[in-house]
Amino acid sequence: MNEKSRARSVALCSVLGMAMVGCGGGDADAPPAQSGPPPVDVNVSQVVARSVTEWDQFNGRIEAVHRVELRPRVGGYLDQVHFSEGALVKAGDVLFTIDSREYDAAVRRAKAVLASANTRLSLARQEQARAKTLVDAQAISAEEFEQRRGETQQAQAQIGTAEAELVQAELNLEFATIRSPIDGRVGEALIRAGNLVSPGTSLLTTVVSVDPVHVVFEGDERIYLKYQAQARSGDRPSSRETANPVRVGLIDETGFPHVGQMDFVDNELNPATGTIRGRAVLPNPDGVFTPGLFARVRLLGSREHDALLINDVAVLTDQDRKYVYTVGPNGEALRRDIVLGRDIDGLRVVEDGLTADDRIVVSGFQRIFFPGAPLKPTDVPMDDPFATVAD
């Protein structure tokens, strides 16, 4: 560049500089340059530390404590059905009657036989008494006296036979009236009046108890071995020896509003399924539970212990790892890899990775593009991560 061109450039720069000063664009009035990205608005919550009790969840079915299949104990033609199908019945209520005329006749015949046997016994005793007088007077031989005494003993035995036949006849007459053996709800009448029924084979109906009920479920080998280890260490009593609490919810219910207790654990695992059967008893005064219903079951899984809990919405996934963002000492986002446990009352147990002093991001972490990003935190409850806090 020649001297003439250099002079022209210097003059031009001077003019531009004076113009900038005249427009107020000097460095003295310029705002300070930003050194990084602006803080991210996020909601944060303090990690919850409290004592908790863990529960294991299973799928089960409601079963009646007592279920009776009613079958006749004597044969004959069904005379009458005495109940409304599906109704509640009491123990002793008459449900069916069988035509009892032949059984009534058998009772009368057995009574007549017994009366005849009593008459023969009375006569035999009189004959034995006379024979005793005669043998003492040596009017008859001892053999004849022994014969009279044998006749008395035979008449006495006939009395026993006649009494047994009368008892059997009266039982058959009683069995012609079929009663409910338990309190409960009766099912459908499977055989109608006028049909011939056979003793022990013809199923008439079923009766199931209503209150209480059982809920039956199965656990796998892993959970069974866990309970065994806890029972040996004293962390949790065995359900075979202690009525551990159980919570139950039906398919249309939220949560587990019904409370019962364990009353049975099977004595072996099913080798085909690798599961063991457990059973709990539930009160059912209002008839909420009907045998056969599907039930969600929670069984006490541990004794009460201290735990750290967070909201599931705060948990992020990086391949096979779970992590959250915590608020660092300078208000920056710090990534923490965590190990999660089970869900308890809507919050998730954190087994490793956090402390009770940590505050974690529960809302707005989508705007955190890298660890170390500055945060503008707003504290909200852990169970309400999207709460809007008033200024």
Side-chain angles (χ1 to χ4, degrees):
M1 179 181 296
N2 55 31
E3 292 296 331
K4 186 177 182 179
S5 298
R6 183 179 296 110
R8 188 182 299 114
S9 298
V10 171
L12 178 60
C13 289
S14 298
V15 171
L16 291 175
M18 293 176 65
M20 292 178 63
V21 172
C23 294
D27 292 341
D29 296 329
Q34 293 184 353
S35 59
V40 178
D41 286 319
V42 293
N43 284 358
V44 300
S45 297
Q46 187 80 31
V47 172
V48 177
R50 69 165 186 252
S51 295
V52 299
T53 301
E54 296 184 7
W55 299 81
D56 294 314
Q57 188 164 334
F58 306 89
N59 294 325
R61 290 283 176 184
I62 302 298
E63 291 184 358
V65 173
H66 301 290
R67 183 180 186 277
V68 180
E69 294 184 345
L70 285 185
R71 302 177 189 272
R73 301 177 71 172
V74 294
Y77 285 93
L78 198 62
D79 187 49
Q80 193 172 354
V81 178
H82 297 271
F83 64 91
S84 298
E85 296 172 311
L88 290 173
V89 296
K90 295 289 186 181
D93 286 354
V94 176
L95 303 182
F96 299 91
T97 51
I98 296 172
D99 187 352
S100 62
R101 289 174 294 180
E102 62 176 299
Y103 299 111
D104 184 62
V107 169
R108 292 197 298 270
R109 182 168 57 251
K111 287 180 178 180
V113 171
L114 177 59
S116 177
N118 280 321
T119 300
R120 285 195 297 271
L121 176 60
S122 177
L123 179 60
R125 284 173 174 169
Q126 292 174 9
E127 291 293 329
Q128 181 180 346
R130 284 195 294 269
K132 180 65 170 63
T133 302
L134 293 174
V135 76
D136 289 343
Q138 298 183 345
I140 61 173
S141 66
E143 289 80 3
E144 290 184 60
F145 172 73
E146 291 298 329
Q147 181 179 358
R148 297 293 184 273
R149 189 164 65 178
E151 290 174 351
T152 300
Q153 292 173 345
Q154 183 178 9
Q156 183 67 53
Q158 289 174 346
I159 289 288
T161 300
E163 288 175 341
E165 290 178 349
L166 176 59
V167 169
Q168 184 61 61
E170 289 175 338
L171 280 176
N172 289 340
L173 179 60
E174 180 182 342
F175 292 156
T177 300
I178 301 168
R179 302 175 183 272
S180 175
I182 62 172
D183 293 348
R185 190 175 298 278
V186 67
E188 177 187 6
L190 301 176
I191 299 180
R192 303 294 175 173
N195 287 285
L196 181 65
V197 297
S198 301
T201 58
S202 301
L203 178 59
L204 302 177
T205 191
T206 58
V207 183
V208 295
S209 61
V210 174
D211 183 27
V213 296
H214 281 149
V215 56
V216 178
F217 57 94
E218 293 184 344
D220 59 23
E221 291 186 29
R222 177 189 58 81
I223 202 73
Y224 175 72
L225 292 174
K226 185 189 87 166
Y227 290 160
Q228 290 285 87
Q230 289 178 338
R232 288 192 295 269
S233 66
D235 289 339
R236 174 189 178 276
S238 171
S239 292
R240 286 197 174 101
E241 302 167 355
T242 303
N244 283 323
V246 170
R247 297 176 180 175
V248 175
L250 299 179
I251 195 170
D252 65 338
E253 294 177 327
T254 301
F256 300 81
H258 309 286
V259 179
Q261 59 186 22
M262 291 293 295
D263 75 336
F264 170 74
V265 177
D266 212 343
N267 60 355
E268 61 180 357
L269 276 78
N270 184 337
T273 61
T275 58
I276 189 168
R277 185 170 179 263
R279 188 182 71 199
V281 62
L282 294 169
N284 189 33
D286 300 326
V288 173
F289 300 110
T290 300
L293 283 176
F294 172 81
R296 296 173 293 109
V297 182
R298 274 189 172 177
L299 171 62
L300 178 68
S302 73
R303 64 178 181 179
E304 187 173 329
H305 63 280
D306 294 332
L308 302 178
L309 301 103
I310 64 173
N311 200 307
D312 265 333
V313 300
V315 180
L316 303 170
T317 302
D318 181 5
Q319 296 182 352
D320 61 341
R321 291 180 294 179
K322 304 292 185 181
Y323 69 95
V324 296
Y325 281 116
T326 64
V327 180
N330 298 317
E332 74 277 18
L334 299 180
R335 169 172 166 162
R336 291 279 188 86
D337 289 346
I338 59 175
V339 178
L340 295 177
R342 64 186 64 218
D343 176 83
I344 297 180
D345 298 330
L347 298 179
R348 181 72 61 178
V349 172
V350 178
E351 297 180 350
D352 189 33
L354 293 176
T355 70
D357 296 327
D358 287 327
R359 296 159 69 211
I360 66 169
V361 178
V362 293
S363 176
F365 46 74
Q366 299 87 347
R367 296 187 291 274
I368 302 174
F369 297 111
F370 56 90
L375 301 178
K376 183 181 179 182
T378 300
D379 288 291
V380 297
M382 184 65 77
D383 58 358
D384 192 8
F386 303 107
T388 301
V389 179
D391 294 335

